[in-house]
Amino acid sequence: MQYVTLNNAVEMPILGFGVYRIPAEDTEQAVSAALTAGYRLLDTAAAYGNEEAVGRAVRNSGIPREELFVTTKLWIQDAPAEKNTGRAFEASLKKLGLDYLDLYLMHEPYGDVYGQWRAMEALNREGRTRAIGVSNFYPDRLIDLIANNDIVPAVNQIETHPFFQRTGYQDLMREHGVQIQSWGGFAEGRNGLFGNPLLAEIGKEHGKSVSQVVLCWLTRRGVVALPKSVRPERMAQNIDVFDFELTDDEMARIATLDTDASLFLDHHDPETVAWFAEHRFDG
């Protein structure tokens, strides 16, 4: 496994296992299989509804806690967010059955963002979470948060895949010491990703699948990736991406797939903002 070093010197695996949209009743088995396959970074969220299952898999794995990197996310909190964030954090920690987190992310750039971040800064200073970061923050929101607070987010987890590559934004984050992490690395199969002729051709050249090519492309760029599957054979395949390298020419060919647009949602769109304003989650 390869690692990235966050802006507070914490080391994080560059490849992890995500549990978004894995039903709670299937999550424990999936996470157990992922840990057996060699994954040590686990990514969940309060809003996913499967933190308890992730925690059971961790406890039953027999793997020392210090060898794991566990992430969960804070859902949108209204004022007084500093109090509500502490309550939400404790609820997530209890569901996971852990004494601390490795990374706590603000899930969306909405609600009382500054109150949430101040509470997260306090949790970080207290050692309750080794690192804090954000998710789905576009450049304007990220720079605003950095400029008006003490702790620079260690991570920004954003939509990143061959059709929405975020290379310019990654450069900006790098300038500020923020690690880019991908969600939706396979674009959830949209735009025919798994049958894409260019990716398939590159995979054939290396004896690898399209998914392995995408993960190799992400990790070579220094992007932390979170592939998801409930099939043990696919989990094993997805983690087997460190025995080959893409050439500069192959990287350039993949760059031509970028449409510079989300395949899912626009966080600047008023209808999207209104939807989030109506959906609160009491973890």
Side-chain angles (χ1 to χ4, degrees):
M1 179 58 66
Q2 297 175 6
Y3 291 80
V4 297
T5 301
L6 304 181
N7 60 19
N8 61 353
V10 168
E11 289 193 336
M12 179 183 189
I14 200 167
L15 190 63
F17 185 73
V19 297
Y20 175 58
R21 286 188 175 173
I22 297 181
E25 60 270 21
D26 299 327
T27 299
E28 182 178 354
Q29 182 177 356
V31 173
S32 295
L35 292 171
T36 298
Y39 295 87
R40 293 297 179 265
L41 164 59
L42 302 173
D43 180 272
T44 185
Y48 297 173
N50 53 22
E51 289 174 310
E52 290 176 317
V54 171
R56 286 195 300 272
V58 166
R59 290 192 299 277
N60 293 333
S61 70
I63 299 171
R65 172 67 182 92
E66 62 272 15
E67 295 182 13
L68 299 174
F69 194 103
V70 181
T71 302
T72 194
K73 305 179 191 73
L74 170 74
W75 190 246
I76 302 165
Q77 302 295 314
D78 296 315
E82 286 161 280
K83 177 181 178 180
N84 292 336
T85 297
R87 175 196 55 77
F89 176 85
E90 295 299 339
S92 286
L93 209 61
K94 182 177 180 180
K95 288 178 180 178
L96 288 162
L98 300 177
D99 296 324
Y100 67 93
L101 289 177
D102 296 281
L103 177 64
Y104 197 39
L105 299 180
M106 193 186 309
H107 205 151
E108 300 289 348
Y110 304 125
D112 185 5
V113 171
Y114 292 110
Q116 292 170 167
W117 191 250
R118 284 191 294 269
M120 292 170 68
E121 287 182 323
L123 291 167
N124 184 223
R125 293 189 183 102
E126 293 164 4
R128 308 298 307 286
T129 179
R130 298 172 66 211
I132 55 175
V134 296
S135 178
N136 296 311
F137 271 57
Y138 273 67
D140 55 338
R141 294 294 83 211
L142 180 66
I143 298 305
D144 179 71
L145 190 71
I146 292 172
N148 291 288
N149 290 279
D150 294 330
I151 297 178
V152 175
V155 170
N156 186 13
Q157 185 182 121
I158 57 175
E159 178 188 352
T160 313
H161 48 72
F163 306 120
F164 194 25
Q165 299 188 9
R166 320 302 288 271
T167 52
Y169 191 17
Q170 181 179 3
D171 290 340
L172 178 66
M173 284 190 273
R174 186 181 292 113
E175 290 175 12
H176 290 272
V178 182
Q179 172 64 47
I180 183 174
Q181 185 177 52
S182 163
W183 66 256
F186 298 146
E188 295 189 7
R190 298 187 185 191
N191 281 13
L193 181 134
F194 294 114
N196 182 271
L198 189 156
L199 297 173
E201 179 184 352
I202 292 174
K204 185 177 180 180
E205 293 170 2
H206 293 277
K208 295 290 185 177
S209 69
V210 167
S211 62
Q212 288 173 312
V213 169
V214 172
L215 292 172
C216 183
W217 168 76
L218 285 167
T219 56
R220 176 173 168 176
R221 287 180 50 198
V223 178
V224 177
L226 298 167
K228 176 191 68 177
S229 178
V230 295
R231 296 166 53 188
E233 66 274 15
R234 185 62 57 83
M235 296 176 194
Q237 183 185 88
N238 287 342
I239 204 172
D240 183 26
V241 296
F242 300 109
D243 62 347
F244 76 107
E245 293 185 2
L246 299 176
T247 66
D248 290 343
D249 177 68
E250 289 167 339
M251 294 292 288
R253 288 160 63 193
I254 294 173
T256 65
L257 297 176
D258 192 11
T259 66
D260 196 31
S262 171
L263 296 185
F264 298 94
L265 74 165
D266 179 359
H267 281 76
H268 295 305
D269 178 61
E271 291 186 6
T272 297
V273 178
W275 186 92
F276 278 109
E278 296 170 0
H279 289 77
R280 292 294 189 262
F281 171 79
D282 185 7

